[in-house]
Amino acid sequence: MRHTIMATAFSLIAAAAAADTPVLSIYSYDSFVAEWGPGPQIEQAFEETCGCDVQFTGAGDGAALLARVRLEGTNSDADVVLGLDTNLMDAAMQSGLFAPHNVTVPELTLPVEWESETFLPYDWGYFAFVHNTDMQDVPGSFAELAESEARIVIQDPRSSTPGLGLLMWVEAAHGDEAGAIWSGLADNIVTVTPGWSEAYDLFLEGEADMVLSYTTSPAYHLIAEEDDSKAAAAFEEGHYLQIEVAGMLAGSDQPDLARAFLDFMLTERFQSIIPTTNWMYPAALPVDALPDGFDTLIMPERALLFDPATAAALRDDAVNTWLTALSR
Amino acid sequence: MADRAQPLTFQQGLGGCVAAGVALVLLGPLAAVALRAEEAARLTGADWAAIRFTVLQALLSAALSVGLAIPVARALARRVFPGRRLLVTLMGAPFILPVIVAVFGLLAVFGRNGWFSQALDLVGLPPIEIYGLHGVVLAHVFFNLPLAVRLFLQSWLAIPTERVRLASSLGFTARDIRRHFELPMLRATAPGAFLVIFLICTSSFAVALILGGGPRATTIELAIYQAFRFDFDLGRAAMLGAVQVGICAVAALLVLRFAIPRALGGSLDREPMQWEAFAGRGRFADGLIILLAALFLVLPLLALVGRGVDAMAGLPPSVWYAALRSLVLATASAALALALALPMAALMARRTRTGLELIGALSIAISPLVIGTGAFLILNPIANPVALALPITGLVNALMSLPFLLRALLPAIQQAEASQGRLADALGLKGVDRLRHAILPRIWPSLGFGAGLSAALSMGDLGVIALFSSPAQGTLPLEMYRLMGSYRTDDAQGAALLLLALSLALFWVFDRGGRLRATA
């Protein structure tokens, strides 16, 4: 305890000594700010040019991040919030806490058009069911999955962003039939976990044949572990997108720095850090600049995505459909 | 013991103040969340379903944990064998593990791909299905059986030796001894043990969801999670938090009606009860019970060792720093918990007050998410919560372990008061002097056990740090979750093993220290 007090005291003194260096405070999710995540490299890269001190703060996952910002309201220390997705964007807009970015957007490499004037995308990925390559009869659609004997593990949409993404995927692909799809899937679902990491671990432990993750997940195993035994199943109805975004807060005391960071976010320097630290597709980097191994991933022919307002409007009904189908 | 005629002493006043402070720190955040809510909340049908499921699984889990713990503790109390002490320590481990680690240990044994299913496969049987209500109860028994066994074992060994000897020489049969000594002891210990385990299980979230197999296993804690993060409905979160407090209050009132205070009188500070001499027949049955309990509790730990041992040496430096930070935090938190628990337990030993019992149990019932968020709301206008993340985590961890510490200390203090209280009164010993000369020398083992439990729980608990932390101040459990969240499963398993080893070591050092101090 004393150690902590001393450390706090020293950091206060250090902060006072460096008072003329402006601080850019960025809130993000935990795995982004971790030692092995993109955070440290990005901090270093931006500090080389900004003449500022970048400070990352982690807050659980994307949904926890938004809750945190809303709790702090206009008193927030944060200048930039990085790590929301399109399913959270509407609630973030409604909070009135974010300011327009006013950044000239370069050419993006998203599979869809980008329109928001408040949020900018920094990476994206397709949701997909990941399986071992030795799996027999890999299903090619939700209907095939429901008919198969495959055991899957998914995340709870009420506590997990991928979990909510899956609900949106089923809604986007099947609309009114979503309830029937979920009823069909009920006997395939081994269990539902609070977050992505528990589900992925259950799959790696052999508790399930498939897990809801991303089409880019096999790239981690291939590149970081030299293990080519994982693959993502291509579904014929197309795959739902997760686009991760950042925005600056209206209450920021460093608006120019925040804007400079959002500008930097879409440059090659930032974008090239993303693939092998966040294991997603960068939002503004040509395909040929991706690291080796990404070319082995499946590339869905149809990208599914609700705009933020539609996603927000659908959300509660989609969760109720899901609950009803799985509680039987 | 309920000596109301005496005026309040300084020591009792202190106990009251501490209890009031604890209640304030626990309920203040709940009030802060409620006040911040923009509109009044109503509980939905889904919330009521969550409340029903929560209470049902907690009742089953607590009943089964306590029911199974009695024969196990009895067998352990009656038999002396080499390695018994080590086995008792190891069997305590599941209780102090972070839940997610314990779940993976359990799945390695009882999962679809676990050892049990693999063994069944060898003889041509299908794998066992662990997901469902039975899985939730199995996991909760796995976590809480160790606590119940320890509480009962302590009580068994605290039955005054000379009384049993006297009874035996007067011709008491084994049945008489059971009726006059063992049953009253169970009557005094079991309700408290049932209450804490019931309350632990009511705040379950990840375990219930993962092993429950889906949204049917939605608990109140998950509903609170949803209210905070999915709906940002602070009113509903506060309402559900209040429901948790209500369940705690009702459970505590009901249970305390059944509890009778221990009335065994004092002993003459002799060696702990040697039950071996009175155990008589049943050697084989006792051995079998101990073996089965040990297999159930220790096999999943072995699985965790197997999974993590390769990765442990190559863990990233941040994990080692986090381990150091966690050790300091756990020790500080245990010291604080002791400082809070001693005056409270001293007061509870002298006067039976339901309010005190309730405060003493409250911290396990209230959602850490509510406490953390409330603390954040209170602190944010006056200080930077991120800079205070570690002290707040230490404080909350201390409060979370308080109920267990009280359960461990209370019987020992009651016994010390029973044997030394009158002498101390006659000598006019009060306050600190009474504690130092009459009470402390007799409660060292319980103090060591309680401090060890508190430190180990703090070490393994993710706690409120997950709500507001900067990358540089992660604790070991938080680092482990971060590793899990970035595909680094092997490193996460290494970190989990490190956590298991450090938690057990902390517990062992305090527990052993207490016992050595007692015999010194």
Side-chain angles (χ1 to χ4, degrees), chain A residues 35-36 56 58 61 68 70-72 151 157-159 190-192 197 201-202 204-205 207 217 315 328, chain B residues 36 107 111-113 131 210 213 216 218 229-231 307 316 318 376 386 469 471 484 486-487 489 493:
Chain A
E35 183 182 272
W36 42 82
F56 274 105
D61 69 350
R68 165 77 178 271
R70 288 169 80 172
L71 275 183
E72 293 185 351
R151 291 166 53 103
R158 298 169 294 174
S159 57
V190 177
T191 193
V192 177
S197 46
D201 258 20
L202 283 176
L204 292 179
E205 292 293 315
E207 288 296 306
S217 298
R315 205 186 67 154
R328 242 176 251 143
Chain B
R36 178 67 192 273
L107 284 175
R112 177 205 189 200
N113 202 21
Y131 304 96
I210 295 177
R216 265 168 314 218
T218 296
R229 313 207 345 193
F230 189 77
D231 301 319
R307 285 161 37 117
S318 66
F376 188 88
V386 177
S469 74
M484 271 180 76
S486 328
Y487 291 100
T489 317
Q493 289 173 352

Side-chain angles (χ1 to χ4, degrees), chain B residues 242-259:
Chain B
V243 168
Q244 286 182 317
V245 176
I247 291 176
C248 173
V250 171
L253 290 176
L254 284 178
V255 162
L256 294 173
R257 280 183 70 118
F258 287 107

Side-chain angles (χ1 to χ4, degrees), chain B residues 23-61:
Chain B
L24 191 70
V25 174
L26 288 172
L27 295 175
L30 179 61
V33 174
L35 288 175
R36 178 67 192 273
E38 275 151 21
E39 50 198 86
R42 268 197 8 233
L43 294 181
T44 63
D47 292 332
W48 285 110
I51 293 170
R52 274 197 304 276
F53 178 78
T54 304
V55 173
L56 171 71
Q57 57 83 18
L59 278 176
L60 286 174
S61 305

Side-chain angles (χ1 to χ4, degrees), chain B residues 123-385:
Chain B
V123 290
L125 290 169
I128 45 170
E129 188 59 62
I130 193 179
Y131 304 96
L133 178 62
H134 59 285
V136 180
V137 174
L138 178 86
H140 283 158
V141 171
F142 175 70
F143 291 129
N144 296 307
L145 183 63
L147 176 72
V149 166
R150 283 305 290 252
L151 291 176
F152 284 123
L153 187 57
Q154 251 195 340
S155 298
W156 238 295
L157 298 180
I159 292 176
T161 312
E162 48 277 72
R163 304 251 167 155
V164 184
R165 281 184 197 283
L166 180 65
S168 182
S169 66
L170 290 174
F172 272 40
T173 61
R175 220 179 117 207
D176 294 331
I177 289 183
R178 208 159 42 227
R179 222 183 77 203
H180 291 281
F181 294 100
E182 297 183 271
L183 284 181
M185 180 280 291
L186 286 178
R187 187 84 201 267
T189 309
F194 181 89
L195 178 64
V196 283
I197 294 174
F198 173 79
L199 292 177
I200 298 172
C201 297
T202 57
S203 56
S204 177
F205 156 35
V207 178
L209 186 64
I210 295 177
L211 290 170
R216 265 168 314 218
T218 296
T219 55
I220 302 176
E221 190 70 18
L222 174 56
I224 291 178
Y225 217 75
Q226 180 186 4
F228 268 122
R229 313 207 345 193
F230 189 77
D231 301 319
F232 199 68
D233 184 345
L234 297 182
R236 207 170 124 239
M239 179 76 109
L240 289 162
V243 168
Q244 286 182 317
V245 176
I247 291 176
C248 173
V250 171
L253 290 176
L254 284 178
V255 162
L256 294 173
R257 280 183 70 118
F258 287 107
I260 49 161
R262 168 194 306 273
L264 289 173
S267 78
L268 301 172
D269 290 349
R270 296 182 54 149
E271 283 284 286
M273 180 66 202
Q274 304 291 319
W275 280 100
E276 181 104 29
F278 301 92
R281 284 167 296 136
R283 253 189 108 78
F284 178 73
D286 283 347
L288 191 67
I289 290 171
I290 294 173
L291 180 71
L292 286 177
L295 282 179
F296 175 54
L297 296 175
V298 178
L299 275 183
L301 301 182
L302 283 181
L304 290 176
V305 174
R307 285 161 37 117
V309 75
D310 289 340
M312 218 164 113
L315 285 174
S318 66
V319 175
W320 295 101
Y321 284 119
L324 202 62
R325 214 173 283 127
S326 276
L327 278 176
V328 174
L329 187 70
T331 312
S333 162
L336 179 62
L338 266 190
L340 295 173
L342 261 181
M344 274 182 79
L347 181 59
M348 285 160 81
R350 290 175 69 84
R351 340 191 129 194
T352 313
R353 287 279 165 83
T354 315
L356 272 180
E357 290 275 355
L358 191 59
I359 294 171
L362 201 54
S363 65
I364 4 176
I366 298 191
S367 158
L369 196 59
V370 172
I371 296 187
T373 308
F376 188 88
L377 283 172
I378 292 170
L379 287 171
N380 198 36
I382 45 176
N384 179 6

